[in-house]
Amino acid sequence: MSTPTTTTYEKHTLNTKKKSQWLDVWKRLKKSRTAVIGLILILVFLMLALFAPFIADYEKDALGMNVKERLQSPSLTHWFGTDEFGRDIFARIVYGTRISLFVGIISVSIALSLGGTLGAIAGYYGGRIDNAIMRVLDVLLAIPTILLAITIVAALGASILNLMIAVGISNIPGFARVVRASVLSVKDQEYIESARAIGARDHTIILKHVLPNSMAPIVVFATLKVASAIMATSSLSFIGLGIQPPTPEWGNMLAGGRAYIRDHMYIVLSPGLAIVLTVLSLNLIGDGLRDALDPKLK
Amino acid sequence: MLIPVMLGVIFLVFFIISLTPGDAASMILGDGATEERIIELRDDMGLDDPLIVQYGRYMWDLLRGNMGDSYSTGRSVAGEIVQRFPNTFKLTVTAIFLSVLISIPIGVISATKQYSLFDNIGMILALVGISMPSFWTGLILIIIFALNLGWFPSGGMKGIMSLVLPAFTLAIASTASITRTTRSSMLEVIRQDYINTAKAKGVSRRKVITRHALGNALIPAVTVIGLEFGILLGGAVLTETVFSWPGIGRLMVESIQRKDTPMVLGCVIIFSLSFSIVNLIIDILYAYIDPRIKANYT
Amino acid sequence: MKDHILEIKDLHIQFNTDEGVVQALNGIDITLERGKTLGLVGETGAGKTTTALSILRLVPRPPGEVVRGSIILDGIPIMEQSEYEMEKIRGKTVSMIFQDPMTALNPVIKVGEQIAEAISIHQKLSKEKSLAKAREVLELVGIPGNRMQEYPHQFSGGMKQRVIIAIALSCSPKLLIADEPTTALDVTIQAQVLELMKELKQKFHMAMVMISHDLGVVAEVCDDVAIMYAGKIVEQGSLEDVFLRTKHPYTEGLFNSIPNIDDRKAELIPIRGLMSDPYNLPSGCPFFDRCDYAMDICRTEKPVKHSFSDTHFTECHLYTAQPEFSLKSKKTKE
Ligand SMILES: Nc1ncnc2c1ncn2[C@@H]1O[C@H](COP(=O)(O)OP(=O)(O)OP(=O)(O)O)[C@@H](O)[C@H]1O
Ligand SMILES: [Mg+2]
């Protein structure tokens, strides 16, 4: 039943179907007020990260200590006030955005590529390979995610690279599971069978046919995981295992300001709000995407 | 299942920790130690044996309840953990109870009044709830309820009052996600045919919800409660740090700072073991609420 | 006027969805005498389930909305009752058997308790007494009483349907609505379940609305037949009226599309086309574009009711001009 002609035909209709499907998703996403709020928020943060040097000077404002101006309340010159070393909190938050988004995205990419490969292999081949991979993942899953990340950084030492590795590795099992499940859900469909019947190689099938058609849940999951990776980054920095001072990062800003909350609560207010808003915007987008991809639930 | 997974966990954590740079023997002996003393101690501790041999030795000791001695205080790791564990237990169990108690009713009401004001506000709060980093929430609660209002102590563990803020802090994220799960599974369930059957029998609206819908909606909620417990254990590390709560989480952070590897290892193992045991309990609980699974067990 | 258990007048129901408004029911009239059985026939999407649910006032709301119309059940105006009063009516005066037995029972409650629940609600009996009575009802539908303690997943499809029938009959309702009670079952079980329903109907002197798209089932159990199309009753009458003196082209089409045992050489003529889009019903007769007899007027104007006897009527333009018109069908021409 699967001559080459039918497959090209099927591939063709499939591709157009896919395009219009994503267009539909975008249309539905636009209709969701909360998702749009999320998109706008994350756009603002992306802009801040991108144009940070135009907003404040890294050396002078974010790092430069100025004891005379320490612990000042928010004012027109220092929008969010100054910290215990007299540094401008707003400037530090802006530069912190860069780190948070960068670490969040890179560590999710690590988790997605490693976990995704494992999951795709497990789902596609099934049987013993699947079993072996899943047993190893069971072990990883038995360690609470953030604790695994803490352990890895504790052993490797605190640095931005190790932080990304740690957060990335600790998220591998989650991605492996999601990718495996979505591969399983498309693997036995006809177009895959027909691709196999005309002798396509396994990795071609996985990359060209299986993954593109099982993207939806993976995209949603990845969005939500960038949010939790950003949260994990700041958590680790807060306990001294992530980005080290004086580099500005929201978590280590909170750790530094902690001693002054009795009289200067603003010092912990804005870095925390920055975390909440970034994570919230990604969660809003992830939720919106999920509803847009699966309109029958809601 | 529990035992092979735990063996895997211990091996993995043992391996990760062994990547720690620096020499344990010179660390224990301090700066003034002679070369011979260090070599002697390395020999004593078997630090030059292959990793797998060291792992075997560790397991052998572990089976007899020996987790080694702290590098920094020299005290028994197992002893320290046994002493601290009840505190973490108290904190996490209180938090999970709080979460369940708050989240299930809110989730149910939200679902039965979908798109109402209650539902909308509830869902926004839940989304904000999962977007707040617990260490920041903790700081904010300290500022409001300890430093300003003075209702609760800002840290330490003295009496029931000191449990309130940390337990609430820890409970927020899991409350939010259990609420969301309860709501969405409830929404799914109230569309089912058997709900119509119940209504057609003349069952009152309230009983349709409490007796017919909730029993089914709890099944996915229980899964999430189990997963949330893992996240909550991770969160305990941060919450305990913020509130100076003398539990395993804070012990772990302190031990990492002191490069006290046996202690770190012990903490991760005890966390993972607790998580695995909780999941085991959840599995058993499942059989009670879902007769279809009970059939498979007996 | 006869004593009616059910009178539906000019019922309009629509569903307001994100994609648009579905006009599910567009002026339904149904009357049913006590103790009689009405067959409600129509293809998928015709509005059969919606009609049934509206009698129990269980049309999901939102998206459902009753635009206008009245339903009198056993003398009670259903639309005017409070929710609390409806709870007392459901299960006692009228009960319903749903389309799919596989999903109609609660998976986490014991079968016996699901039956006993209705009994304890309406007869205000203690738990033990309701359970004892539930056991009797279960045995009545042919399931041994010792299976009371089991859960639905331990039952086969046919047995589940028996349990559902037991639930529906547990309080001896005056009207039983059965929404395709046998379509989800395999053929041998279908016959058994149907036989059981006929028997129990006699025993309890119930009236029944039997929803089906299987004319064979209808012929077997019904006294009256109503044919539904796109949210309207296009023809209604006694079994003989509708089967032997078919008036509506759609009814004729239904007969022509099922095999006839007596005349197996007769060719099957499926109704061409599909039912009109429920989001966008035509302004004239909804059957217009599928009808072999269509005239110009059918496109523009809604057909009106045309009676042939006290009980037999149809809604079709064919009879406005020529009251004596007769359809060409081979099967109706005896
Ligand atoms: N909850 C709902 N929301 C939106 N539309 C609905 C809903 N329920 C029914 N409809 C629509 O109303 C129309 C009538 O549906 P109904 O279920 O009454 O048909 P039916 O005759 O019972 O069909 P079937 O033989 O498939 O059971 C259909 O077009 C259907 O799509
Ligand atoms: Mg139906």
Side-chain angles (χ1 to χ4, degrees):
Chain A
M1 62 152 266
S2 33
T3 60
T5 36
T6 56
T7 24
T8 20
Y9 166 70
E10 277 170 357
K11 215 160 87 189
H12 177 71
T13 49
L14 217 96
N15 280 337
T16 48
K17 210 181 91 197
K18 233 159 44 206
K19 257 184 218 145
S20 69
Q21 185 207 330
W22 286 106
L23 204 71
D24 278 354
V25 168
W26 171 241
K27 275 189 198 144
R28 281 197 289 269
L29 192 64
K30 270 196 313 192
K31 265 200 217 153
S32 153
R33 207 185 314 155
T34 48
V36 170
I37 294 175
L39 280 170
I40 293 174
L41 269 173
I42 203 68
L43 221 63
V44 169
F45 278 106
L46 278 172
M47 290 296 174
L48 284 181
L50 218 55
F51 297 114
F54 297 98
I55 300 168
D57 189 85
Y58 186 61
E59 293 295 332
K60 186 166 129 297
D61 301 325
L63 292 185
M65 303 197 188
N66 183 352
V67 195
K68 270 185 288 176
E69 290 191 7
R70 70 192 290 266
L71 296 172
Q72 290 190 354
S73 297
S75 65
L76 277 178
T77 37
H78 300 291
W79 291 1
F80 295 166
T82 60
D83 67 6
E84 68 275 23
F85 297 112
R87 296 172 298 200
D88 181 56
I89 296 181
F90 178 67
R92 290 176 65 75
I93 285 182
V94 169
Y95 280 95
T97 313
R98 283 191 156 185
I99 293 188
S100 290
L101 291 179
F102 181 70
V103 175
I105 291 168
I106 299 293
S107 47
V108 164
S109 309
I110 295 174
L112 176 61
S113 45
L114 296 181
T117 310
L118 283 177
I121 292 174
Y124 187 76
Y125 291 104
R128 269 215 209 126
I129 299 181
D130 182 23
N131 233 320
I133 293 179
M134 292 321 283
R135 290 297 80 77
V136 173
L137 294 179
D138 278 344
V139 169
L140 280 172
L141 276 172
I143 310 174
T145 317
I146 187 84
L147 284 170
L148 183 57
I150 291 177
T151 314
I152 296 173
V153 185
L156 299 184
S159 77
I160 187 162
L161 179 68
N162 291 343
L163 179 67
M164 292 186 297
I165 293 175
V167 177
I169 290 180
S170 62
N171 277 308
I172 284 179
F175 276 97
R177 292 203 148 196
V178 172
V179 173
R180 174 175 176 271
S182 36
V183 167
L184 280 180
S185 72
V186 296
K187 145 175 145 177
D188 291 325
Q189 309 221 321
E190 266 177 44
Y191 53 87
I192 307 289
E193 305 255 310
S194 51
R196 203 173 295 152
I198 58 167
R201 296 242 211 84
D202 281 347
H203 66 265
T204 331
I205 297 180
I206 296 182
L207 287 177
K208 282 218 177 125
H209 299 278
V210 177
L211 283 182
N213 287 296
S214 49
M215 256 353 252
I218 301 172
V219 170
V220 173
F221 190 73
T223 314
L224 297 173
K225 279 298 148 179
V226 173
S228 58
I230 289 177
M231 190 96 106
T233 304
S234 59
S235 305
L236 282 163
S237 302
F238 181 77
I239 51 175
L241 289 174
I243 313 291
Q244 300 297 310
T247 308
E249 196 276 347
W250 300 334
N252 74 30
M253 290 171 72
L254 286 174
R258 217 185 126 187
Y260 305 93
I261 52 175
R262 181 177 291 277
D263 301 311
H264 309 277
M265 70 163 288
Y266 63 87
I267 203 169
V268 294
L269 205 60
S270 44
L273 281 177
I275 302 175
V276 176
L277 288 178
T278 327
V279 173
L280 179 66
S281 63
L282 288 163
N283 280 333
L284 286 171
I285 297 169
D287 269 16
L289 268 176
R290 177 169 36 210
D291 292 344
L293 287 164
D294 191 358
K296 69 175 190 300
L297 295 173
K298 236 202 271 183
Chain B
M1 222 29 239
L2 183 69
I3 292 166
V5 167
M6 277 320 293
L7 284 175
V9 167
I10 297 169
F11 181 74
L12 183 74
V13 177
F14 195 83
F15 171 74
I16 296 173
I17 300 266
S18 76
L19 298 174
T20 314
D23 179 38
S26 41
M27 199 136 58
I28 296 172
L29 295 172
D31 289 338
T34 61
E35 196 74 8
E36 297 93 76
R37 267 302 282 142
I38 291 177
I39 292 173
E40 202 180 328
L41 187 63
R42 283 189 70 83
D43 205 43
D44 266 2
M45 294 170 68
L47 289 176
D48 296 314
D49 292 340
L51 190 65
I52 192 79
V53 174
Q54 295 188 40
Y55 170 69
R57 199 158 44 221
Y58 185 79
M59 279 312 300
W60 178 243
D61 285 344
L62 188 64
L63 282 179
R64 291 173 299 157
N66 179 2
M67 302 173 105
D69 295 329
S70 160
Y71 284 176
S72 58
T73 61
R75 291 170 55 192
S76 135
V77 170
E80 190 82 7
I81 286 179
V82 166
Q83 194 199 330
R84 299 262 199 140
F85 184 76
N87 302 341
T88 298
F89 185 81
K90 214 183 325 181
L91 181 60
T92 47
V93 169
T94 313
I96 202 80
F97 264 107
L98 267 177
S99 310
V100 172
L101 230 57
I102 302 171
S103 60
I104 305 268
I106 296 183
V108 168
I109 297 172
S110 275
T112 51
K113 305 199 159 135
Q114 197 186 4
Y115 303 136
S116 68
L117 189 67
F118 181 93
D119 180 31
N120 285 330
I121 292 178
M123 285 311 104
I124 291 172
L125 283 182
L127 207 59
V128 173
I130 54 171
S131 307
M132 294 200 302
S134 60
F135 52 92
W136 182 68
T137 323
L139 290 177
I140 298 298
L141 291 184
I142 289 177
I143 291 172
I144 299 174
F145 294 103
L147 301 181
N148 284 319
L149 297 174
W151 293 353
F152 306 104
S154 65
M157 192 185 72
K158 271 184 241 89
I160 190 95
M161 290 308 260
S162 61
L163 181 62
V164 175
L165 290 184
F168 250 102
T169 305
L170 197 51
I172 288 177
S174 40
T175 306
S177 51
I178 301 170
T179 305
R180 280 156 55 93
T181 309
T182 309
R183 174 181 180 267
S184 65
S185 65
M186 206 53 196
L187 281 176
E188 177 101 26
V189 166
I190 54 185
R191 277 186 250 251
Q192 299 295 315
D193 284 355
Y194 53 80
I195 296 299
N196 258 339
T197 307
K199 288 182 186 160
K201 279 195 279 196
V203 178
S204 69
R205 208 185 302 189
R206 159 181 290 218
K207 272 228 160 146
V208 167
I209 299 298
T210 53
R211 186 170 148 85
H212 288 266
L214 195 57
N216 288 283
L218 276 182
I219 297 170
V222 164
T223 314
V224 173
I225 293 173
L227 289 176
E228 279 305 317
F229 197 84
I231 297 175
L232 214 127
L233 288 171
V237 175
L238 293 147
T239 315
E240 290 183 3
T241 305
V242 173
F243 289 95
S244 315
W245 187 263
I248 308 274
R250 184 151 157 257
L251 176 65
M252 184 170 158
V253 173
E254 288 165 357
S255 308
I256 290 172
Q257 281 154 1
R258 291 194 214 116
K259 301 217 180 308
D260 191 349
T261 29
M263 198 61 101
V264 176
L265 191 57
C267 292
V268 183
I269 291 173
I270 203 71
F271 270 128
S272 307
L273 186 66
S274 317
F275 186 30
S276 297
I277 289 175
V278 166
N279 279 330
L280 196 70
I281 296 173
I282 294 282
D283 275 352
I284 297 169
L285 206 61
Y286 240 55
Y288 272 93
I289 57 178
D290 191 347
R292 286 161 293 190
I293 293 178
K294 195 174 341 185
N296 294 342
Y297 269 75
T298 48
Chain C
M1 211 177 129
K2 287 206 183 102
D3 186 18
H4 291 142
I5 177 75
L6 177 68
E7 278 186 59
I8 301 182
K9 283 218 176 71
D10 195 33
L11 184 64
H12 289 71
I13 289 182
Q14 63 186 37
F15 291 100
N16 307 313
T17 67
D18 290 345
E19 287 78 34
V21 177
V22 185
Q23 293 176 314
L25 299 185
N26 306 299
I28 300 278
D29 296 292
I30 290 176
T31 46
L32 179 61
E33 281 172 46
R34 288 182 192 280
K36 289 277 173 86
T37 300
L38 171 74
L40 193 55
V41 183
E43 66 197 90
T44 181
K48 306 181 297 291
T49 302
T50 307
T51 308
L53 288 175
S54 69
I55 300 170
L56 289 110
R57 229 176 64 194
L58 281 179
V59 176
R61 202 169 31 148
E65 180 193 346
V66 178
V67 182
R68 63 170 181 274
S70 72
I71 300 174
I72 312 269
L73 174 72
D74 196 25
I76 309 164
I78 289 297
M79 300 296 180
E80 283 141 41
Q81 304 303 302
S82 69
E83 188 57 29
Y84 175 68
E85 285 163 324
M86 279 314 296
E87 280 162 12
K88 288 195 287 192
I89 293 168
R90 292 182 196 131
K92 190 175 181 201
T93 313
V94 54
S95 53
M96 179 157 172
I97 296 173
F98 290 93
Q99 217 158 342
D100 184 1
M102 294 319 193
T103 55
L105 290 174
N106 194 323
V108 303
I109 300 180
K110 287 177 186 153
V111 164
E113 287 175 23
Q114 295 195 46
I115 303 173
E117 190 175 22
I119 299 171
S120 71
I121 291 172
H122 296 296
Q123 307 183 0
K124 307 263 180 326
L125 292 178
S126 70
K127 187 155 187 200
E128 291 74 46
K129 284 198 180 131
S130 333
L131 279 171
K133 201 149 176 252
R135 195 186 184 97
E136 282 169 30
V137 186
L138 196 64
E139 281 165 356
L140 191 69
V141 297
I143 295 177
N146 59 15
R147 304 202 59 172
M148 292 274 287
Q149 298 295 322
E150 294 183 11
Y151 290 93
H153 71 271
Q154 292 163 286
F155 282 52
S156 69
M159 288 170 72
K160 279 185 193 154
Q161 194 62 303
R162 283 166 189 268
V163 173
I164 293 164
I165 293 172
I167 293 176
L169 296 185
S170 58
C171 299
S172 335
K174 295 176 187 161
L175 173 65
L176 174 67
I177 304 170
D179 190 356
E180 309 196 27
T182 56
T183 27
L185 305 174
D186 61 51
V187 187
T188 46
I189 315 278
Q190 277 186 13
Q192 288 176 13
V193 168
L194 222 53
E195 208 45 51
L196 175 73
M197 291 186 63
K198 265 166 77 175
E199 186 190 310
L200 294 171
K201 184 184 126 50
Q202 293 299 325
K203 194 163 181 164
F204 289 96
H205 309 290
M206 287 181 302
M208 184 154 94
V209 174
M210 167 71 90
I211 296 175
S212 182
H213 45 230
D214 183 342
L215 288 163
V217 169
V218 171
E220 191 146 327
V221 291
C222 299
D223 305 304
D224 294 335
V225 183
I227 309 286
M228 258 190 115
Y229 186 80
K232 288 210 115 196
I233 307 263
V234 293
E235 178 164 4
Q236 184 174 357
S238 67
L239 192 63
E240 289 75 23
D241 286 337
V242 175
F243 274 58
L244 303 177
R245 293 180 285 277
T246 308
K247 293 296 182 192
H248 197 281
Y250 177 64
T251 318
E252 183 192 42
L254 284 179
F255 284 118
N256 286 343
S257 54
I258 54 168
N260 182 349
I261 296 285
D262 302 332
D263 181 10
R264 292 208 291 186
K265 282 194 291 295
E267 79 183 291
L268 293 184
I269 316 168
I271 308 177
R272 62 193 154 86
L274 292 173
M275 201 173 78
S276 355
D277 176 12
Y279 287 101
N280 200 358
L281 287 179
S283 55
C285 173
F287 191 54
F288 167 74
D289 54 349
R290 301 171 77 183
C291 180
D292 289 333
Y293 306 88
M295 304 173 294
D296 283 343
I297 184 172
C298 304
R299 182 203 303 274
T300 49
E301 263 167 63
K302 288 245 183 303
V304 290
K305 202 187 250 186
H306 198 91
S307 300
F308 302 93
S309 67
D310 277 0
T311 52
H312 190 192
F313 72 84
T314 188
E315 287 193 359
C316 179
H317 285 302
L318 283 173
Y319 305 94
T320 341
Q322 300 166 262
E324 299 309 314
F325 186 83
S326 155
L327 299 177
K328 61 191 170 197
S329 159
K330 350 176 198 11
K331 283 179 193 165
T332 45
K333 260 190 270 158
E334 288 176 273

